[in-house]
């Protein structure tokens, strides 16, 4: 990873209402590692913020907690900074950010990441351990195909979830009508 990306720590800041800067936290991402749409700015501008501002294509890696994950920042909200639960990976080479996030989120990689973590009550991965993670980089066309496939897979997962919910509602409706 160290040859692939610059790794920076997220920012620790107190949040408040009436702010103008988005302060991204792990809870701001859904189960598919996409930024939720209902977040609000949480911090105010200060002189230490410019070096922490996120750029489109940055990868946010949640390195603290019971679920490590990677998400690509697509500039959905701006200006934005990552909270201290994240490392921000800014790619150095011509690599698809979605591919790196996919690789870090892959179940096999997740097993390796858990092995690198320390702490029993709140597991975490250090910057140096993350820098040691080796990511095989195929040709850019293959990276893009993998990212496209993953996006389709996640959409299918959401559709199946919604379908199961609707089936459950229909079944409950039919059953209650049997006893009326």
């Amino acid at each position: 990873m160290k040859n692939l990306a610059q790794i920076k720590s997220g920012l620790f800041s107190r949040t408040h209402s009436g702010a103008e800067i988005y302060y991204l936290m792990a809870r701001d991402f859904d189960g598919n590692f996409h930024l939720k749409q209902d977040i609000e700015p949480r911090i105010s501008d200060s002189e230490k913020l410019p070096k922490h501002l996120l750029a489109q294509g940055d990868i946010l890696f949640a390195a603290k907690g019971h679920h490590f994950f990677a998400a690509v920042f697509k500039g959905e909200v701006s200006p934005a900074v990552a909270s201290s639960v994240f490392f921000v990976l800014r790619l150095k080479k011509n690599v698809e950010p979605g591919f790196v996030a996919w690789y870090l989120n892959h179940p096999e990689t997740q097993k390796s990441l858990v092995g690198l973590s320390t702490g029993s009550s709140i597991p975490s991965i250090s910057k140096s351990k993350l820098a040691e993670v080796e990511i095989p980089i195929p040709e850019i066309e293959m990276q893009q195909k993998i990212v496209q496939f993953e996006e389709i897979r996640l959409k299918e997962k959401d559709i199946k979830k919604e379908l199961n919910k609707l089936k459950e509602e229909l079944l409950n409706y039919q059953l209650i009508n049997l006893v009326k």
Side-chain angles (χ1 to χ4, degrees):
M1 179 76 72
K2 61 186 165 217
N3 297 328
L4 188 64
Q6 174 189 13
I7 304 172
K8 300 185 304 183
S9 297
L11 176 73
F12 175 78
S13 182
R14 297 205 184 278
T15 62
H16 58 85
S17 59
E20 60 276 351
I21 309 288
Y22 290 89
Y23 183 65
L24 304 184
M25 305 168 134
R27 68 178 182 219
D28 295 328
F29 292 85
D30 66 19
N32 291 335
F33 318 115
H34 295 126
L35 192 60
K36 295 177 183 174
Q37 295 184 9
D38 61 348
I39 64 169
E40 298 290 330
R42 294 189 181 112
I43 63 174
S44 294
D45 201 359
S46 75
E47 53 208 45
K48 65 181 176 179
L49 283 183
K51 70 178 185 177
H52 291 281
L53 289 175
L54 295 174
Q56 190 166 339
D58 283 349
I59 300 166
L60 281 64
F61 179 75
K64 296 175 185 164
H66 292 283
H67 183 68
F68 305 123
F69 70 89
V72 177
F73 179 69
K74 297 177 182 172
E76 304 96 319
V77 295
S78 183
V81 297
S83 68
S84 57
V85 74
F86 292 107
F87 286 124
V88 178
L89 312 177
R90 188 159 290 167
L91 298 176
K92 298 176 185 177
K93 297 182 176 182
N94 187 23
V95 178
E96 177 69 38
F99 172 78
V100 175
W102 167 81
Y103 188 85
L104 291 170
N105 290 327
H106 191 276
E108 290 299 314
T109 309
Q110 286 288 307
K111 287 179 193 173
S112 299
L113 292 171
V114 168
L116 295 174
S117 68
T118 57
S120 55
S121 60
I122 300 177
S124 65
I125 296 176
S126 69
K127 186 176 176 179
S128 60
K129 291 289 185 187
L130 182 60
E132 293 173 13
V133 173
E134 292 289 330
I135 298 179
I137 304 297
E139 295 296 322
I140 191 75
E141 295 83 14
M142 180 57 71
Q143 294 174 45
Q144 291 167 340
K145 286 179 183 177
I146 289 171
V147 170
Q148 289 171 347
F149 181 82
E150 181 66 0
E151 288 171 359
I152 292 168
R153 188 188 73 77
L154 291 174
K155 283 180 187 173
E156 178 188 35
K157 180 179 154 188
D158 286 343
I159 290 168
K160 284 180 177 179
K161 183 177 177 182
E162 181 65 21
L163 180 62
N164 285 335
K165 178 183 163 203
L166 292 172
K167 283 180 179 179
E168 184 75 21
E169 288 174 6
L170 177 62
L171 180 61
N172 284 332
Y173 175 78
Q174 290 172 332
L175 290 174
I176 198 69
N177 283 330
L178 287 176
V179 295
K180 286 186 177 181

